[in-house]
Amino acid sequence: MRRFSGFALAREAVRAHRGWGRQWGSPEPRESYDVVIVGAGGHGLATAYYLAREHGITNVAVLEKGWLGGGNTGRNTTIIRSNYLHEESAGIYDHAVRLWEDLSQDLNYNVMFSQRGVMMLAHSVHDRQVAMRHIHANRLNGVDNEWLEPEAARAWCPPLNIARSARYPVLGAALQRRGGTARHDAVAWGYARAASSRGVHIIENCEVTGIARAGNGHVKGVDTTRGFIGAGKIGVVAAGHTSVLMRMADLRLPIMSYPLQALVSEPVKPCFPCVVMSNAVHGYISQSDKGELVIGAGTDQYTSYSQAGSLAVIQHTLDAICELFPMFTRLKMMRSWGGVVDVTPDRSPIIAKTPVPGLYVNCGWGTGGFKATPGSGHVFAHTIANDNPHPVNAGFTLERFSTGALIDEAAAAAVMH
Ligand code: FAD
Ligand code: PYC
């Protein structure tokens, strides 16, 4: 039986009086959908879009506790690439890159996808060997990647300091030419508009607070701050908060949540032609079309649900960026922010059915899920519609954490976490 504190009783009474709350006792949903997606980030909205477009399932609601794209989708540094080590990862990230290539046309919304190339720096012999291994593995999987000696790296990115005496000497770089950036807000808005025009409901300011199940264990709906909403199936895509939601269905996930930060400079004229990442110094940089330098850091080394991180982390990143690109030393930074990323033990996502019938989960993208948005939504929609994974996400199960069939992408994640 559900227990209510005095405060909860009063709140429920107010809701019932207003006509939009859940009545206690057996819930009779005022609204019901074939599929409820929890989380209106890029992945949730893309899932809804592909459910409608590919599977003809349009009686779908996307529930969002805040505003559309206000989670990590609107907070990331927008780097897109598919140079991951393992076959499963090459499969999903390159599936995403191929969808990115046509996404603006598909959504009829300019997501400003720009394949300006992503260059990952090597600062030590070990970095160089790891990069070489990735380049060979990528090529075997049909993913472009190539090695550049330091002079070639500087020719590709003229502001790069390749002096041998530098604090972080550049021994070379791996370049994925098909990698690049996109406009993160536009991705959320584009998917939202396209899904909405196919009949999908997007409900903001609607936090999911419980997952309800029928006697046979199958999901039957969600409790929300706007009352009970019935659901035939539920897809949880709530980066950073997945374990909180899964606990509502008595499931425990191998996920930890960490703050990850980024910041932008004042806008300047175009001076930085590509994306540069350095795992060793925990920094990455590109220039947005508005002219701001977009710079990101590594994760804070403690778990937290706070959308802010510690100053020491971004200070370290800026020190490193100024060493690598001395011409930026006098630039002013305009604003910084953080997001909460959810990290699995093998730094690969979970896109799968759960042991609860009708409940599906898409999470664990850690520091790197923006690039996956179209591919992730596409295969998650398939998984929900067919109650079976798409071949591209077949390896990203929950079971791998008990069978040991891990997809260890710690190095390819490229951002310290
Ligand atoms: P989100 O956009 O976070 O969406 C999840 C939504 O769920 C949120 O809007 C949240 O409010 C909602 N939600 C949570 N709980 C509930 C609830 N109970 N009820 C209803 N709604 C709920 N990835 C890259 O590939 N490249 C990058 O350059 C990159 N840089 C990054 C930089 C930073 C600073 C950060 C924080 C992340 C970065 N990432 C990057 C990671 C990337 O942003 C995420 O992996 C990706 O955006 C996740 O998308 P999502 O749609 O799953 O999550
Ligand atoms: O996964 O490429 C990435 C990334 C860059 C910045 C944060 N994540």
Side-chain angles (χ1 to χ4, degrees):
M1 191 181 126
R2 216 173 139 189
R3 286 167 192 266
F4 291 90
S5 65
F7 174 74
L9 270 176
R11 189 186 57 202
E12 295 281 324
V14 170
R15 284 206 186 127
H17 176 69
R18 288 184 180 157
W20 49 264
R22 172 185 179 169
Q23 318 288 311
W24 51 88
S26 172
E28 280 306 321
R30 287 169 49 235
E31 307 162 51
S32 198
Y33 298 92
D34 293 337
V35 180
V36 161
I37 301 293
V38 184
H43 290 225
L45 293 163
T47 305
Y49 170 68
Y50 292 114
L51 276 171
R53 196 192 83 172
E54 304 269 301
H55 306 282
I57 302 174
T58 55
N59 185 24
V60 175
V62 185
L63 310 183
E64 168 55 49
K65 75 173 175 184
W67 65 96
L68 202 152
N72 291 339
T73 296
R75 293 165 186 271
N76 70 79
T77 46
T78 82
I79 297 173
I80 296 169
R81 57 187 176 86
S82 57
N83 52 356
Y84 283 70
L85 182 62
H86 293 284
E87 208 169 305
E88 293 88 341
S89 319
I92 187 138
Y93 290 107
D94 216 54
H95 181 49
V97 169
R98 284 192 294 272
L99 289 170
W100 278 113
E101 285 169 348
D102 293 328
L103 197 61
S104 294
Q105 287 77 12
D106 183 7
L107 300 179
N108 189 24
Y109 201 103
N110 189 357
V111 299
M112 298 170 82
F113 180 50
S114 158
Q115 289 177 298
R116 59 185 66 182
V118 173
M119 196 163 79
M120 298 172 95
L121 302 178
H123 301 289
S124 64
V125 172
H126 173 76
D127 281 357
R128 187 187 158 106
Q129 287 166 346
V130 170
M132 289 299 185
R133 183 180 178 210
H134 277 73
I135 289 170
H136 294 314
N138 289 162
R139 289 188 178 178
L140 287 173
N141 279 320
V143 173
D144 70 303
N145 202 353
E146 65 198 79
W147 177 254
L148 301 183
E149 293 297 336
E151 292 71 23
R154 192 181 47 189
W156 184 259
C157 182
L160 181 64
N161 176 15
I162 56 166
R164 297 295 293 188
S165 57
R167 181 169 164 201
Y168 305 108
V170 174
L171 301 195
L175 171 66
Q176 184 178 24
R177 290 175 193 259
R178 288 163 65 236
T181 56
R183 174 146 190 229
H184 47 16
D185 293 329
V187 176
W189 299 335
Y191 271 120
R193 190 181 71 167
S196 169
S197 71
R198 287 173 186 264
V200 169
H201 293 248
I202 299 165
I203 307 172
E204 295 176 294
N205 297 313
C206 181
E207 179 172 357
V208 170
T209 54
I211 293 177
R213 293 156 71 178
N216 61 4
H218 200 283
V219 298
K220 66 174 182 183
V222 287
D223 289 309
T224 79
T225 46
R226 286 170 171 256
F228 184 75
I229 296 177
K233 294 179 175 179
I234 301 171
V236 172
V237 208
H241 300 86
T242 317
S243 47
V244 178
L245 278 142
M246 287 294 117
R247 286 222 169 196
M248 297 174 192
D250 301 321
L251 293 176
R252 198 152 169 247
L253 255 58
I255 292 269
M256 307 279 264
S257 296
Y258 295 91
L260 179 67
Q261 300 181 77
L263 64 174
V264 290
S265 73
E266 58 187 322
V268 288
K269 288 204 168 160
C271 61
F272 201 82
C274 59
V275 180
V276 176
M277 305 185 65
S278 166
N279 200 6
V281 307
H282 313 309
Y284 34 99
I285 176 166
S286 65
Q287 187 172 22
S288 75
D289 293 320
K290 280 196 289 184
E292 300 161 342
L293 291 174
V294 181
I295 297 173
T299 54
D300 278 52
Q301 292 302 291
Y302 54 83
T303 53
S304 167
Y305 290 118
S306 162
Q307 286 177 318
S310 57
L311 190 58
V313 170
I314 44 176
Q315 252 173 350
H316 165 84
T317 294
L318 287 180
D319 284 349
I321 291 290
C322 289
E323 289 277 340
L324 289 171
F325 308 101
M327 74 181 226
F328 295 142
T329 311
R330 294 177 60 200
L331 263 188
K332 294 188 182 63
M333 300 312 295
M334 283 215 304
R335 54 181 192 279
S336 71
W337 63 89
V340 186
V341 297
D342 48 359
V343 177
T344 58
D346 62 0
R347 275 59 181 167
S348 283
I350 303 166
I351 319 165
K353 294 164 68 161
T354 72
V356 173
L359 182 64
Y360 306 83
V361 68
N362 183 340
C363 67
W365 292 97
T367 58
F370 176 70
K371 66 176 77 62
T373 305
S376 157
H378 187 254
V379 299
F380 195 43
H382 176 105
T383 306
I384 294 172
N386 298 294
D387 196 35
N388 256 318
H390 188 282
V392 168
N393 65 307
F396 295 104
T397 61
L398 251 178
E399 289 75 28
R400 73 179 191 271
F401 301 103
S402 44
T403 62
L406 299 178
I407 305 165
D408 191 344
E409 288 292 357
V415 175
M416 182 188 66
H417 62 328

